[in-house]
Amino acid sequence: MIVRELEEARSGERLVKSEGWDSTRLLLAGDDMGFSFHITRLFAGSTNTFEYKHHFEAVYCISGEGTIEDHGTGKTHTIKPGVMYALNEHDRHTVRTNAGEDLVVACSFNPPVTGQEVHREDGSYAPPGEAA
Amino acid sequence: MIVRELEEARSGERLVKSEGWDSTRLLLAGDDMGFSFHITRLFAGSTNTFEYKHHFEAVYCISGEGTIEDHGTGKTHTIKPGVMYALNEHDRHTVRTNAGEDLVVACSFNPPVTGQEVHREDGSYAPPGEAA
């Protein structure tokens, strides 16, 4: 059994920071669960575009509010606590976080993130085994 | 892109109820994400023993407090918001929820749950393809 605590993990290598967000990887590929599990904060007032060409991702909103724009359909959905979105078609998407409060989400990735990826310019992570 | 909302999902077939807990399956095997994703409420004051012999499960505490006892080591860990536990060795475990407030957790399962499983007497789910 693995037991990890978010605030403790945020003080170490499990925390990855970017301009508009940070993400704490509570489970990574090396944990051999078949998925990785992250707690991600999208900063208040930020706009972030992602496209995980090589991963499936599910995102569940714990706190905060915002919107997600699906580039494929042009539709925009509200994100608030209790809403989950799943990128089952590697959907390119833009998350806009309302001002005043970070959007805190729980994320599962398949295949699991190794912890070595960086976001490429196209908003994706490299597939496993390929250099970032 | 799949977008689902917890309270809406709780009014349909995605909600599974047991004596000490209920679980809302926001993603199931049929969503083809490679994992399932559930929001589970362990009722205030309840004691529940599980052993997922055929699944890996990660559990992240969103709200509420309790403990998890690892039957393999005899150790007990505190569960509170921010704590994640992962059953990477199919660990038999008992979750005790404090009185006064349900324990609300986000769970990822690999392989994904189909939605047809029932908990067996030993606390497990059947493996995929085998009758419950």
Side-chain angles (χ1 to χ4, degrees):
Chain A
M1 184 183 299
I2 299 166
V3 181
R4 294 190 178 124
E5 202 275 322
L6 178 63
E7 289 308 317
E8 201 176 302
R10 286 180 63 83
S11 67
E13 288 185 352
R14 293 183 176 279
L15 177 64
V16 175
K17 294 181 184 181
S18 186
E19 194 179 339
W21 53 271
D22 68 30
S23 184
T24 307
R25 282 76 184 270
L26 291 174
L27 287 176
L28 286 166
D31 293 310
D32 289 333
M33 295 285 288
F35 56 85
S36 57
F37 187 88
H38 318 174
I39 300 297
T40 298
R41 301 183 189 205
L42 296 135
F43 301 150
S46 69
T47 297
N48 296 282
T49 296
F50 304 106
E51 183 181 358
Y52 296 113
K53 294 179 181 175
H54 312 292
H55 298 78
F56 295 111
E57 185 194 18
V59 176
Y60 179 79
C61 179
I62 295 173
S63 62
E65 295 195 10
T67 60
I68 178 169
E69 178 188 345
D70 180 342
H71 289 227
T73 64
K75 284 190 183 174
T76 294
H77 307 272
T78 298
I79 304 174
K80 60 182 182 179
V83 170
M84 181 218 66
Y85 62 85
L87 306 163
N88 61 323
E89 295 181 318
H90 309 287
D91 316 71
R92 186 170 179 81
H93 61 288
T94 296
V95 178
R96 294 179 177 85
T97 303
N98 291 4
E101 187 181 358
D102 294 348
L103 191 64
V104 180
V105 294
C107 312
S108 290
F109 273 83
N110 168 32
V113 166
T114 65
Q116 303 304 313
E117 296 87 353
V118 292
H119 273 87
R120 294 171 160 184
E121 281 194 14
D122 64 1
S124 77
Y125 283 142
E130 187 176 315
Chain B
M1 183 184 300
I2 299 165
V3 180
R4 294 189 177 125
E5 202 276 321
L6 178 63
E7 289 308 317
E8 201 176 302
R10 286 179 63 82
S11 68
E13 287 186 354
R14 294 182 176 279
L15 177 64
V16 175
K17 294 181 182 181
S18 187
E19 194 178 340
W21 53 271
D22 67 33
S23 184
T24 308
R25 282 75 184 269
L26 291 174
L27 287 176
L28 286 166
D31 293 310
D32 289 333
M33 295 285 288
F35 56 84
S36 57
F37 188 88
H38 317 175
I39 300 296
T40 297
R41 303 182 188 206
L42 296 135
F43 301 151
S46 69
T47 297
N48 296 283
T49 296
F50 305 106
E51 183 180 358
Y52 296 114
K53 294 179 181 175
H54 312 291
H55 298 78
F56 296 110
E57 185 193 18
V59 176
Y60 179 79
C61 178
I62 295 173
S63 62
E65 294 194 10
T67 61
I68 178 169
E69 178 187 345
D70 180 342
H71 289 226
T73 64
K75 284 191 183 173
T76 294
H77 307 271
T78 298
I79 304 174
K80 60 182 183 179
V83 170
M84 181 218 66
Y85 62 84
L87 305 164
N88 61 323
E89 295 180 319
H90 309 286
D91 316 71
R92 186 170 178 82
H93 61 287
T94 296
V95 178
R96 295 179 177 85
T97 303
N98 291 4
E101 187 182 359
D102 294 347
L103 191 65
V104 180
V105 295
C107 311
S108 291
F109 274 82
N110 168 32
V113 166
T114 65
Q116 303 304 313
E117 297 86 353
V118 293
H119 273 86
R120 293 171 161 183
E121 280 194 15
D122 64 2
S124 76
Y125 283 142
E130 187 175 316

